[in-house]
Amino acid sequence: MSRLLLALAFIGYIALGLPDALIGVAWPAMRRDFAVPLGALGALYVSSTLGYVLSSAATGALLARIGLGTLLSGSCALTGMALLGYTVSPSWPVLVALGVFVGFGGGAIDAAINTHAAIHYATRLLNVLHAFYGIGAALGPALMTAVLVRGHDWRYGYGWVIAFELALAIAFALTRREWSAPLAHQAHRQTASWLATLRLPRAQLSLAVFFIYTGCEAAAAAWAFSLLLEARGLTTIAAGTAVSCYWCGLFASRLGYALLPADTRPERVTTICIVVAILAAGLVALHLNAMLDIVAFTLLGFASGPIFPCMIAMTPARLGPDHTANAVGAQVAAAAVGLACLPALCGLLAQHSGLESIPLFLLGCWLLLLIAYRAFLGSRL
């Protein structure tokens, strides 16, 4: 049963990645259907972030009340139904409102599984777990690209994701009693208040790292397709391939972490990854040729991969067991805010200065991340 639950956790991360990455490829077609400007995507990110933050903050209380299995089942069902609403939405404002529910479902899954994983799993297994997010994120663009190339509507692509989410909701419901006890037990161990956790300088700096990193990861994925298709003239297949390669790189590095020696320090791996990401972002900004653009996005995804799970794995040791649940929930919330803000800023920047301004913006954000991360490592508790 423990292996089955771990397998379902892996599949749960695929479910998280699918809708997150799908939107980047679907956006040009959605924008034409709803007759909205390029920067309107930011509104959807903001609404989904609101739901993500609300559910992340409420995860501890929800776990204590209904248990992990029921929370996961309900969250997948909510996400699937909200995505179904996307496909029948009569207007852009209605679709943006539905984004709150998509974000709420994703945030609950993310925070609950991450809290459980930070307590029970080693760093290598955490990276493997998060690698499955990369599978979903790589499948999403590939699926939507195939749908669009065959002349189908973008809603058809979302239909496959809806079916997957609802099937997973049933699987979590059937195993809900097996999930409840371990998480409930851990929740009762929590002694620190949210305010006490957030007062810690190290906790504050960790939130900055999660905000910037997740924003960089999401912005690159959301705007790569538009940048390569509309500004650099690549074909739909080539631009979609670049986005899928980005997520495949992220998956490969997270899975590859499991092959590293057991005594590998996540702090050192994270530093190396940020430096490589800076170099990859610089290569995207240079725009030497189409093939190197695809290689650069693949390298950027590869470098991005281990950062999030390594930071989650560091949390119990660097903040202590009494602050772990609070800190992970806050980190997931900060990541969600970054996921909304940086892609939205990219959209506004592209609308006013052109799509070619996005790679330069991302390069600056990666440099800022390196500064914040080094400050986190040197901070006091």
Side-chain angles (χ1 to χ4, degrees), residues 212-224 227 246 277-278 280-282 284-285 297 300 342-343 346 349 356-369:
I212 301 170
Y213 162 71
T214 310
C216 288
E217 177 195 293
W223 290 104
L227 171 70
Y246 173 85
I278 291 171
V284 172
F297 273 110
L300 185 59
L342 266 63
C346 283
L349 189 62
E356 287 293 348
S357 62
I358 291 177
L360 295 174
F361 176 76
L362 289 176
L363 177 59
C365 289
W366 277 106
L367 289 168
L368 184 61
L369 177 61

PDB file of all heavy atoms in Angstrom, residues 212-224 227 246 277-278 280-282 284-285 297 300 342-343 346 349 356-369:
ATOM      1  N   ILE A 212      11.005  34.124  -6.465  1.00  0.00           N
ATOM      2  CA  ILE A 212      11.758  34.440  -7.683  1.00  0.00           C
ATOM      3  C   ILE A 212      11.932  33.199  -8.550  1.00  0.00           C
ATOM      4  O   ILE A 212      11.722  33.240  -9.768  1.00  0.00           O
ATOM      5  CB  ILE A 212      13.124  35.048  -7.336  1.00  0.00           C
ATOM      6  CG1 ILE A 212      12.960  36.327  -6.510  1.00  0.00           C
ATOM      7  CG2 ILE A 212      13.909  35.354  -8.609  1.00  0.00           C
ATOM      8  CD1 ILE A 212      14.268  36.844  -5.935  1.00  0.00           C
ATOM      9  N   TYR A 213      12.306  32.070  -7.914  1.00  0.00           N
ATOM     10  CA  TYR A 213      12.564  30.871  -8.707  1.00  0.00           C
ATOM     11  C   TYR A 213      11.319  30.421  -9.467  1.00  0.00           C
ATOM     12  O   TYR A 213      11.365  30.180 -10.682  1.00  0.00           O
ATOM     13  CB  TYR A 213      13.061  29.713  -7.833  1.00  0.00           C
ATOM     14  CG  TYR A 213      12.884  28.408  -8.576  1.00  0.00           C
ATOM     15  CD1 TYR A 213      13.697  28.120  -9.672  1.00  0.00           C
ATOM     16  CD2 TYR A 213      11.844  27.538  -8.272  1.00  0.00           C
ATOM     17  CE1 TYR A 213      13.497  26.970 -10.422  1.00  0.00           C
ATOM     18  CE2 TYR A 213      11.642  26.391  -9.016  1.00  0.00           C
ATOM     19  CZ  TYR A 213      12.470  26.119 -10.085  1.00  0.00           C
ATOM     20  OH  TYR A 213      12.237  24.994 -10.840  1.00  0.00           O
ATOM     21  N   THR A 214      10.195  30.280  -8.763  1.00  0.00           N
ATOM     22  CA  THR A 214       8.997  29.773  -9.423  1.00  0.00           C
ATOM     23  C   THR A 214       8.517  30.745 -10.488  1.00  0.00           C
ATOM     24  O   THR A 214       8.017  30.325 -11.544  1.00  0.00           O
ATOM     25  CB  THR A 214       7.885  29.514  -8.396  1.00  0.00           C
ATOM     26  OG1 THR A 214       8.406  28.727  -7.327  1.00  0.00           O
ATOM     27  CG2 THR A 214       6.723  28.777  -9.028  1.00  0.00           C
ATOM     28  N   GLY A 215       8.678  32.039 -10.234  1.00  0.00           N
ATOM     29  CA  GLY A 215       8.324  33.028 -11.244  1.00  0.00           C
ATOM     30  C   GLY A 215       9.165  32.877 -12.495  1.00  0.00           C
ATOM     31  O   GLY A 215       8.656  32.951 -13.616  1.00  0.00           O
ATOM     32  N   CYS A 216      10.466  32.651 -12.316  1.00  0.00           N
ATOM     33  CA  CYS A 216      11.351  32.439 -13.467  1.00  0.00           C
ATOM     34  C   CYS A 216      10.961  31.181 -14.241  1.00  0.00           C
ATOM     35  O   CYS A 216      10.896  31.186 -15.481  1.00  0.00           O
ATOM     36  CB  CYS A 216      12.802  32.322 -12.996  1.00  0.00           C
ATOM     37  SG  CYS A 216      13.546  33.864 -12.431  1.00  0.00           S
ATOM     38  N   GLU A 217      10.716  30.106 -13.511  1.00  0.00           N
ATOM     39  CA  GLU A 217      10.349  28.839 -14.153  1.00  0.00           C
ATOM     40  C   GLU A 217       9.061  28.993 -14.953  1.00  0.00           C
ATOM     41  O   GLU A 217       8.969  28.570 -16.110  1.00  0.00           O
ATOM     42  CB  GLU A 217      10.181  27.753 -13.087  1.00  0.00           C
ATOM     43  CG  GLU A 217       9.718  26.411 -13.635  1.00  0.00           C
ATOM     44  CD  GLU A 217       9.212  25.486 -12.544  1.00  0.00           C
ATOM     45  OE1 GLU A 217      10.031  25.066 -11.702  1.00  0.00           O
ATOM     46  OE2 GLU A 217       7.994  25.203 -12.531  1.00  0.00           O
ATOM     47  N   ALA A 218       8.046  29.616 -14.340  1.00  0.00           N
ATOM     48  CA  ALA A 218       6.746  29.750 -14.995  1.00  0.00           C
ATOM     49  C   ALA A 218       6.791  30.732 -16.159  1.00  0.00           C
ATOM     50  O   ALA A 218       6.162  30.501 -17.197  1.00  0.00           O
ATOM     51  CB  ALA A 218       5.703  30.191 -13.974  1.00  0.00           C
ATOM     52  N   ALA A 219       7.520  31.831 -15.996  1.00  0.00           N
ATOM     53  CA  ALA A 219       7.572  32.847 -17.049  1.00  0.00           C
ATOM     54  C   ALA A 219       8.241  32.301 -18.307  1.00  0.00           C
ATOM     55  O   ALA A 219       7.778  32.541 -19.426  1.00  0.00           O
ATOM     56  CB  ALA A 219       8.305  34.087 -16.544  1.00  0.00           C
ATOM     57  N   ALA A 220       9.324  31.564 -18.136  1.00  0.00           N
ATOM     58  CA  ALA A 220      10.007  30.981 -19.292  1.00  0.00           C
ATOM     59  C   ALA A 220       9.086  30.014 -20.031  1.00  0.00           C
ATOM     60  O   ALA A 220       9.014  30.011 -21.268  1.00  0.00           O
ATOM     61  CB  ALA A 220      11.282  30.268 -18.849  1.00  0.00           C
ATOM     62  N   ALA A 221       8.362  29.192 -19.271  1.00  0.00           N
ATOM     63  CA  ALA A 221       7.469  28.221 -19.894  1.00  0.00           C
ATOM     64  C   ALA A 221       6.275  28.888 -20.567  1.00  0.00           C
ATOM     65  O   ALA A 221       5.847  28.488 -21.653  1.00  0.00           O
ATOM     66  CB  ALA A 221       6.983  27.225 -18.847  1.00  0.00           C
ATOM     67  N   ALA A 222       5.738  29.927 -19.929  1.00  0.00           N
ATOM     68  CA  ALA A 222       4.532  30.573 -20.442  1.00  0.00           C
ATOM     69  C   ALA A 222       4.779  31.380 -21.707  1.00  0.00           C
ATOM     70  O   ALA A 222       3.914  31.457 -22.586  1.00  0.00           O
ATOM     71  CB  ALA A 222       3.932  31.477 -19.369  1.00  0.00           C
ATOM     72  N   TRP A 223       5.973  31.971 -21.825  1.00  0.00           N
ATOM     73  CA  TRP A 223       6.216  32.902 -22.921  1.00  0.00           C
ATOM     74  C   TRP A 223       7.180  32.380 -23.979  1.00  0.00           C
ATOM     75  O   TRP A 223       7.386  33.036 -25.010  1.00  0.00           O
ATOM     76  CB  TRP A 223       6.722  34.237 -22.361  1.00  0.00           C
ATOM     77  CG  TRP A 223       5.633  34.957 -21.631  1.00  0.00           C
ATOM     78  CD1 TRP A 223       5.480  35.066 -20.286  1.00  0.00           C
ATOM     79  CD2 TRP A 223       4.524  35.647 -22.216  1.00  0.00           C
ATOM     80  NE1 TRP A 223       4.348  35.770 -19.978  1.00  0.00           N
ATOM     81  CE2 TRP A 223       3.741  36.139 -21.144  1.00  0.00           C
ATOM     82  CE3 TRP A 223       4.118  35.883 -23.522  1.00  0.00           C
ATOM     83  CZ2 TRP A 223       2.568  36.872 -21.368  1.00  0.00           C
ATOM     84  CZ3 TRP A 223       2.951  36.601 -23.739  1.00  0.00           C
ATOM     85  CH2 TRP A 223       2.196  37.089 -22.665  1.00  0.00           C
ATOM     86  N   ALA A 224       7.773  31.214 -23.767  1.00  0.00           N
ATOM     87  CA  ALA A 224       8.708  30.670 -24.760  1.00  0.00           C
ATOM     88  C   ALA A 224       8.016  30.454 -26.101  1.00  0.00           C
ATOM     89  O   ALA A 224       8.557  30.795 -27.167  1.00  0.00           O
ATOM     90  CB  ALA A 224       9.308  29.358 -24.256  1.00  0.00           C
ATOM     91  N   LEU A 227       7.273  33.803 -27.793  1.00  0.00           N
ATOM     92  CA  LEU A 227       8.534  34.429 -28.204  1.00  0.00           C
ATOM     93  C   LEU A 227       9.070  33.787 -29.482  1.00  0.00           C
ATOM     94  O   LEU A 227       9.417  34.477 -30.453  1.00  0.00           O
ATOM     95  CB  LEU A 227       9.566  34.297 -27.079  1.00  0.00           C
ATOM     96  CG  LEU A 227      11.002  34.705 -27.420  1.00  0.00           C
ATOM     97  CD1 LEU A 227      11.106  36.213 -27.613  1.00  0.00           C
ATOM     98  CD2 LEU A 227      11.967  34.242 -26.322  1.00  0.00           C
ATOM     99  N   TYR A 246      12.015  22.133 -22.780  1.00  0.00           N
ATOM    100  CA  TYR A 246      12.240  22.846 -21.517  1.00  0.00           C
ATOM    101  C   TYR A 246      11.784  21.991 -20.333  1.00  0.00           C
ATOM    102  O   TYR A 246      12.524  21.797 -19.362  1.00  0.00           O
ATOM    103  CB  TYR A 246      11.485  24.173 -21.560  1.00  0.00           C
ATOM    104  CG  TYR A 246      11.484  24.955 -20.265  1.00  0.00           C
ATOM    105  CD1 TYR A 246      12.531  25.814 -19.941  1.00  0.00           C
ATOM    106  CD2 TYR A 246      10.420  24.847 -19.362  1.00  0.00           C
ATOM    107  CE1 TYR A 246      12.527  26.541 -18.753  1.00  0.00           C
ATOM    108  CE2 TYR A 246      10.407  25.574 -18.181  1.00  0.00           C
ATOM    109  CZ  TYR A 246      11.464  26.414 -17.879  1.00  0.00           C
ATOM    110  OH  TYR A 246      11.447  27.133 -16.700  1.00  0.00           O
ATOM    111  N   ALA A 277      21.617  28.240 -14.986  1.00  0.00           N
ATOM    112  CA  ALA A 277      20.399  28.883 -15.493  1.00  0.00           C
ATOM    113  C   ALA A 277      20.684  30.302 -15.970  1.00  0.00           C
ATOM    114  O   ALA A 277      20.115  30.753 -16.974  1.00  0.00           O
ATOM    115  CB  ALA A 277      19.326  28.893 -14.411  1.00  0.00           C
ATOM    116  N   ILE A 278      21.539  31.014 -15.267  1.00  0.00           N
ATOM    117  CA  ILE A 278      21.918  32.357 -15.700  1.00  0.00           C
ATOM    118  C   ILE A 278      22.581  32.308 -17.070  1.00  0.00           C
ATOM    119  O   ILE A 278      22.278  33.116 -17.961  1.00  0.00           O
ATOM    120  CB  ILE A 278      22.855  33.007 -14.650  1.00  0.00           C
ATOM    121  CG1 ILE A 278      22.075  33.316 -13.370  1.00  0.00           C
ATOM    122  CG2 ILE A 278      23.496  34.275 -15.206  1.00  0.00           C
ATOM    123  CD1 ILE A 278      22.950  33.752 -12.215  1.00  0.00           C
ATOM    124  N   ALA A 280      22.183  29.959 -19.360  1.00  0.00           N
ATOM    125  CA  ALA A 280      21.181  29.560 -20.352  1.00  0.00           C
ATOM    126  C   ALA A 280      20.264  30.733 -20.706  1.00  0.00           C
ATOM    127  O   ALA A 280      19.932  30.941 -21.880  1.00  0.00           O
ATOM    128  CB  ALA A 280      20.361  28.392 -19.819  1.00  0.00           C
ATOM    129  N   ALA A 281      19.861  31.508 -19.698  1.00  0.00           N
ATOM    130  CA  ALA A 281      19.018  32.677 -19.967  1.00  0.00           C
ATOM    131  C   ALA A 281      19.755  33.696 -20.829  1.00  0.00           C
ATOM    132  O   ALA A 281      19.167  34.336 -21.710  1.00  0.00           O
ATOM    133  CB  ALA A 281      18.575  33.311 -18.649  1.00  0.00           C
ATOM    134  N   GLY A 282      21.053  33.831 -20.579  1.00  0.00           N
ATOM    135  CA  GLY A 282      21.859  34.722 -21.414  1.00  0.00           C
ATOM    136  C   GLY A 282      21.922  34.255 -22.852  1.00  0.00           C
ATOM    137  O   GLY A 282      21.874  35.059 -23.789  1.00  0.00           O
ATOM    138  N   VAL A 284      19.573  32.507 -24.418  1.00  0.00           N
ATOM    139  CA  VAL A 284      18.274  32.822 -25.020  1.00  0.00           C
ATOM    140  C   VAL A 284      18.231  34.286 -25.436  1.00  0.00           C
ATOM    141  O   VAL A 284      17.760  34.630 -26.530  1.00  0.00           O
ATOM    142  CB  VAL A 284      17.123  32.518 -24.034  1.00  0.00           C
ATOM    143  CG1 VAL A 284      15.795  33.021 -24.597  1.00  0.00           C
ATOM    144  CG2 VAL A 284      17.034  31.028 -23.739  1.00  0.00           C
ATOM    145  N   ALA A 285      18.738  35.168 -24.581  1.00  0.00           N
ATOM    146  CA  ALA A 285      18.720  36.601 -24.881  1.00  0.00           C
ATOM    147  C   ALA A 285      19.571  36.942 -26.100  1.00  0.00           C
ATOM    148  O   ALA A 285      19.233  37.853 -26.868  1.00  0.00           O
ATOM    149  CB  ALA A 285      19.200  37.392 -23.671  1.00  0.00           C
ATOM    150  N   PHE A 297      16.697  26.821 -24.167  1.00  0.00           N
ATOM    151  CA  PHE A 297      15.510  26.575 -23.339  1.00  0.00           C
ATOM    152  C   PHE A 297      15.583  25.201 -22.675  1.00  0.00           C
ATOM    153  O   PHE A 297      15.149  25.032 -21.529  1.00  0.00           O
ATOM    154  CB  PHE A 297      14.235  26.701 -24.167  1.00  0.00           C
ATOM    155  CG  PHE A 297      13.696  28.101 -24.241  1.00  0.00           C
ATOM    156  CD1 PHE A 297      13.745  28.813 -25.420  1.00  0.00           C
ATOM    157  CD2 PHE A 297      13.163  28.718 -23.119  1.00  0.00           C
ATOM    158  CE1 PHE A 297      13.264  30.118 -25.500  1.00  0.00           C
ATOM    159  CE2 PHE A 297      12.681  30.013 -23.174  1.00  0.00           C
ATOM    160  CZ  PHE A 297      12.725  30.720 -24.368  1.00  0.00           C
ATOM    161  N   LEU A 300      17.956  25.607 -19.840  1.00  0.00           N
ATOM    162  CA  LEU A 300      17.324  26.388 -18.779  1.00  0.00           C
ATOM    163  C   LEU A 300      16.394  25.515 -17.947  1.00  0.00           C
ATOM    164  O   LEU A 300      16.377  25.594 -16.711  1.00  0.00           O
ATOM    165  CB  LEU A 300      16.546  27.554 -19.400  1.00  0.00           C
ATOM    166  CG  LEU A 300      15.907  28.556 -18.437  1.00  0.00           C
ATOM    167  CD1 LEU A 300      16.960  29.209 -17.545  1.00  0.00           C
ATOM    168  CD2 LEU A 300      15.140  29.624 -19.213  1.00  0.00           C
ATOM    169  N   LEU A 342       5.553  37.137 -12.012  1.00  0.00           N
ATOM    170  CA  LEU A 342       6.594  37.272 -13.026  1.00  0.00           C
ATOM    171  C   LEU A 342       6.079  37.003 -14.440  1.00  0.00           C
ATOM    172  O   LEU A 342       6.403  37.768 -15.357  1.00  0.00           O
ATOM    173  CB  LEU A 342       7.795  36.391 -12.690  1.00  0.00           C
ATOM    174  CG  LEU A 342       8.900  37.128 -11.896  1.00  0.00           C
ATOM    175  CD1 LEU A 342       8.388  37.586 -10.538  1.00  0.00           C
ATOM    176  CD2 LEU A 342      10.123  36.238 -11.724  1.00  0.00           C
ATOM    177  N   PRO A 343       5.258  35.955 -14.682  1.00  0.00           N
ATOM    178  CA  PRO A 343       4.685  35.829 -16.026  1.00  0.00           C
ATOM    179  C   PRO A 343       3.796  37.010 -16.400  1.00  0.00           C
ATOM    180  O   PRO A 343       3.781  37.436 -17.563  1.00  0.00           O
ATOM    181  CB  PRO A 343       3.871  34.529 -15.940  1.00  0.00           C
ATOM    182  CG  PRO A 343       4.534  33.741 -14.869  1.00  0.00           C
ATOM    183  CD  PRO A 343       4.970  34.765 -13.863  1.00  0.00           C
ATOM    184  N   CYS A 346       5.983  39.805 -17.376  1.00  0.00           N
ATOM    185  CA  CYS A 346       6.498  39.536 -18.722  1.00  0.00           C
ATOM    186  C   CYS A 346       5.476  39.927 -19.785  1.00  0.00           C
ATOM    187  O   CYS A 346       5.828  40.489 -20.830  1.00  0.00           O
ATOM    188  CB  CYS A 346       6.856  38.053 -18.866  1.00  0.00           C
ATOM    189  SG  CYS A 346       8.407  37.575 -18.085  1.00  0.00           S
ATOM    190  N   LEU A 349       5.370  43.678 -20.029  1.00  0.00           N
ATOM    191  CA  LEU A 349       6.611  44.130 -20.661  1.00  0.00           C
ATOM    192  C   LEU A 349       6.581  43.869 -22.160  1.00  0.00           C
ATOM    193  O   LEU A 349       6.972  44.725 -22.971  1.00  0.00           O
ATOM    194  CB  LEU A 349       7.794  43.417 -20.012  1.00  0.00           C
ATOM    195  CG  LEU A 349       9.204  43.900 -20.367  1.00  0.00           C
ATOM    196  CD1 LEU A 349       9.391  45.341 -19.921  1.00  0.00           C
ATOM    197  CD2 LEU A 349      10.248  43.011 -19.704  1.00  0.00           C
ATOM    198  N   GLU A 356      10.815  40.432 -27.353  1.00  0.00           N
ATOM    199  CA  GLU A 356      12.256  40.263 -27.175  1.00  0.00           C
ATOM    200  C   GLU A 356      12.764  40.835 -25.852  1.00  0.00           C
ATOM    201  O   GLU A 356      13.902  40.579 -25.456  1.00  0.00           O
ATOM    202  CB  GLU A 356      13.023  40.896 -28.336  1.00  0.00           C
ATOM    203  CG  GLU A 356      12.927  40.128 -29.640  1.00  0.00           C
ATOM    204  CD  GLU A 356      13.609  38.761 -29.600  1.00  0.00           C
ATOM    205  OE1 GLU A 356      14.349  38.490 -28.635  1.00  0.00           O
ATOM    206  OE2 GLU A 356      13.396  37.967 -30.530  1.00  0.00           O
ATOM    207  N   SER A 357      11.929  41.599 -25.159  1.00  0.00           N
ATOM    208  CA  SER A 357      12.334  42.121 -23.848  1.00  0.00           C
ATOM    209  C   SER A 357      12.251  41.047 -22.759  1.00  0.00           C
ATOM    210  O   SER A 357      12.865  41.183 -21.699  1.00  0.00           O
ATOM    211  CB  SER A 357      11.453  43.313 -23.456  1.00  0.00           C
ATOM    212  OG  SER A 357      10.095  42.913 -23.349  1.00  0.00           O
ATOM    213  N   ILE A 358      11.511  39.972 -23.022  1.00  0.00           N
ATOM    214  CA  ILE A 358      11.307  38.941 -22.000  1.00  0.00           C
ATOM    215  C   ILE A 358      12.602  38.222 -21.620  1.00  0.00           C
ATOM    216  O   ILE A 358      12.876  38.042 -20.417  1.00  0.00           O
ATOM    217  CB  ILE A 358      10.223  37.944 -22.461  1.00  0.00           C
ATOM    218  CG1 ILE A 358       8.863  38.637 -22.482  1.00  0.00           C
ATOM    219  CG2 ILE A 358      10.184  36.718 -21.550  1.00  0.00           C
ATOM    220  CD1 ILE A 358       7.730  37.763 -22.996  1.00  0.00           C
ATOM    221  N   PRO A 359      13.443  37.782 -22.571  1.00  0.00           N
ATOM    222  CA  PRO A 359      14.684  37.097 -22.164  1.00  0.00           C
ATOM    223  C   PRO A 359      15.592  37.959 -21.291  1.00  0.00           C
ATOM    224  O   PRO A 359      16.212  37.450 -20.354  1.00  0.00           O
ATOM    225  CB  PRO A 359      15.355  36.759 -23.501  1.00  0.00           C
ATOM    226  CG  PRO A 359      14.259  36.716 -24.493  1.00  0.00           C
ATOM    227  CD  PRO A 359      13.270  37.757 -24.040  1.00  0.00           C
ATOM    228  N   LEU A 360      15.659  39.256 -21.567  1.00  0.00           N
ATOM    229  CA  LEU A 360      16.483  40.141 -20.744  1.00  0.00           C
ATOM    230  C   LEU A 360      15.921  40.262 -19.338  1.00  0.00           C
ATOM    231  O   LEU A 360      16.669  40.288 -18.347  1.00  0.00           O
ATOM    232  CB  LEU A 360      16.573  41.522 -21.397  1.00  0.00           C
ATOM    233  CG  LEU A 360      17.292  41.565 -22.753  1.00  0.00           C
ATOM    234  CD1 LEU A 360      17.179  42.954 -23.363  1.00  0.00           C
ATOM    235  CD2 LEU A 360      18.762  41.175 -22.581  1.00  0.00           C
ATOM    236  N   PHE A 361      14.602  40.332 -19.236  1.00  0.00           N
ATOM    237  CA  PHE A 361      13.957  40.394 -17.928  1.00  0.00           C
ATOM    238  C   PHE A 361      14.244  39.125 -17.128  1.00  0.00           C
ATOM    239  O   PHE A 361      14.568  39.176 -15.929  1.00  0.00           O
ATOM    240  CB  PHE A 361      12.454  40.585 -18.114  1.00  0.00           C
ATOM    241  CG  PHE A 361      11.658  40.563 -16.835  1.00  0.00           C
ATOM    242  CD1 PHE A 361      11.663  41.655 -15.983  1.00  0.00           C
ATOM    243  CD2 PHE A 361      10.908  39.452 -16.485  1.00  0.00           C
ATOM    244  CE1 PHE A 361      10.932  41.635 -14.803  1.00  0.00           C
ATOM    245  CE2 PHE A 361      10.176  39.423 -15.317  1.00  0.00           C
ATOM    246  CZ  PHE A 361      10.186  40.521 -14.465  1.00  0.00           C
ATOM    247  N   LEU A 362      14.137  37.960 -17.776  1.00  0.00           N
ATOM    248  CA  LEU A 362      14.405  36.693 -17.092  1.00  0.00           C
ATOM    249  C   LEU A 362      15.858  36.593 -16.640  1.00  0.00           C
ATOM    250  O   LEU A 362      16.140  36.084 -15.539  1.00  0.00           O
ATOM    251  CB  LEU A 362      14.061  35.524 -18.007  1.00  0.00           C
ATOM    252  CG  LEU A 362      12.577  35.283 -18.281  1.00  0.00           C
ATOM    253  CD1 LEU A 362      12.392  34.149 -19.273  1.00  0.00           C
ATOM    254  CD2 LEU A 362      11.846  34.979 -16.985  1.00  0.00           C
ATOM    255  N   LEU A 363      16.772  37.067 -17.456  1.00  0.00           N
ATOM    256  CA  LEU A 363      18.181  37.049 -17.070  1.00  0.00           C
ATOM    257  C   LEU A 363      18.398  37.865 -15.797  1.00  0.00           C
ATOM    258  O   LEU A 363      19.099  37.422 -14.878  1.00  0.00           O
ATOM    259  CB  LEU A 363      19.036  37.609 -18.209  1.00  0.00           C
ATOM    260  CG  LEU A 363      20.548  37.723 -17.951  1.00  0.00           C
ATOM    261  CD1 LEU A 363      21.149  36.373 -17.615  1.00  0.00           C
ATOM    262  CD2 LEU A 363      21.240  38.331 -19.167  1.00  0.00           C
ATOM    263  N   GLY A 364      17.777  39.032 -15.719  1.00  0.00           N
ATOM    264  CA  GLY A 364      17.896  39.849 -14.515  1.00  0.00           C
ATOM    265  C   GLY A 364      17.302  39.160 -13.296  1.00  0.00           C
ATOM    266  O   GLY A 364      17.854  39.240 -12.192  1.00  0.00           O
ATOM    267  N   CYS A 365      16.183  38.459 -13.474  1.00  0.00           N
ATOM    268  CA  CYS A 365      15.543  37.753 -12.356  1.00  0.00           C
ATOM    269  C   CYS A 365      16.415  36.604 -11.848  1.00  0.00           C
ATOM    270  O   CYS A 365      16.499  36.368 -10.632  1.00  0.00           O
ATOM    271  CB  CYS A 365      14.174  37.237 -12.782  1.00  0.00           C
ATOM    272  SG  CYS A 365      12.932  38.515 -13.016  1.00  0.00           S
ATOM    273  N   TRP A 366      17.065  35.881 -12.762  1.00  0.00           N
ATOM    274  CA  TRP A 366      17.946  34.789 -12.338  1.00  0.00           C
ATOM    275  C   TRP A 366      19.150  35.324 -11.560  1.00  0.00           C
ATOM    276  O   TRP A 366      19.598  34.705 -10.583  1.00  0.00           O
ATOM    277  CB  TRP A 366      18.405  33.974 -13.539  1.00  0.00           C
ATOM    278  CG  TRP A 366      17.413  32.934 -13.971  1.00  0.00           C
ATOM    279  CD1 TRP A 366      16.601  32.954 -15.061  1.00  0.00           C
ATOM    280  CD2 TRP A 366      17.108  31.707 -13.286  1.00  0.00           C
ATOM    281  NE1 TRP A 366      15.817  31.832 -15.105  1.00  0.00           N
ATOM    282  CE2 TRP A 366      16.112  31.043 -14.039  1.00  0.00           C
ATOM    283  CE3 TRP A 366      17.588  31.109 -12.124  1.00  0.00           C
ATOM    284  CZ2 TRP A 366      15.581  29.807 -13.661  1.00  0.00           C
ATOM    285  CZ3 TRP A 366      17.071  29.869 -11.747  1.00  0.00           C
ATOM    286  CH2 TRP A 366      16.080  29.240 -12.501  1.00  0.00           C
ATOM    287  N   LEU A 367      19.668  36.466 -11.967  1.00  0.00           N
ATOM    288  CA  LEU A 367      20.769  37.085 -11.219  1.00  0.00           C
ATOM    289  C   LEU A 367      20.308  37.494  -9.823  1.00  0.00           C
ATOM    290  O   LEU A 367      21.031  37.314  -8.834  1.00  0.00           O
ATOM    291  CB  LEU A 367      21.300  38.299 -11.978  1.00  0.00           C
ATOM    292  CG  LEU A 367      22.080  37.988 -13.272  1.00  0.00           C
ATOM    293  CD1 LEU A 367      22.283  39.264 -14.082  1.00  0.00           C
ATOM    294  CD2 LEU A 367      23.426  37.347 -12.940  1.00  0.00           C
ATOM    295  N   LEU A 368      19.098  38.036  -9.728  1.00  0.00           N
ATOM    296  CA  LEU A 368      18.539  38.407  -8.426  1.00  0.00           C
ATOM    297  C   LEU A 368      18.332  37.178  -7.553  1.00  0.00           C
ATOM    298  O   LEU A 368      18.558  37.223  -6.328  1.00  0.00           O
ATOM    299  CB  LEU A 368      17.221  39.141  -8.637  1.00  0.00           C
ATOM    300  CG  LEU A 368      16.535  39.705  -7.384  1.00  0.00           C
ATOM    301  CD1 LEU A 368      17.429  40.725  -6.693  1.00  0.00           C
ATOM    302  CD2 LEU A 368      15.196  40.333  -7.749  1.00  0.00           C
ATOM    303  N   LEU A 369      17.949  36.058  -8.169  1.00  0.00           N
ATOM    304  CA  LEU A 369      17.759  34.813  -7.418  1.00  0.00           C
ATOM    305  C   LEU A 369      19.074  34.353  -6.798  1.00  0.00           C
ATOM    306  O   LEU A 369      19.095  33.896  -5.649  1.00  0.00           O
ATOM    307  CB  LEU A 369      17.201  33.726  -8.336  1.00  0.00           C
ATOM    308  CG  LEU A 369      17.026  32.343  -7.696  1.00  0.00           C
ATOM    309  CD1 LEU A 369      16.051  32.400  -6.536  1.00  0.00           C
ATOM    310  CD2 LEU A 369      16.568  31.326  -8.737  1.00  0.00           C
TER     311      LEU A 369
END
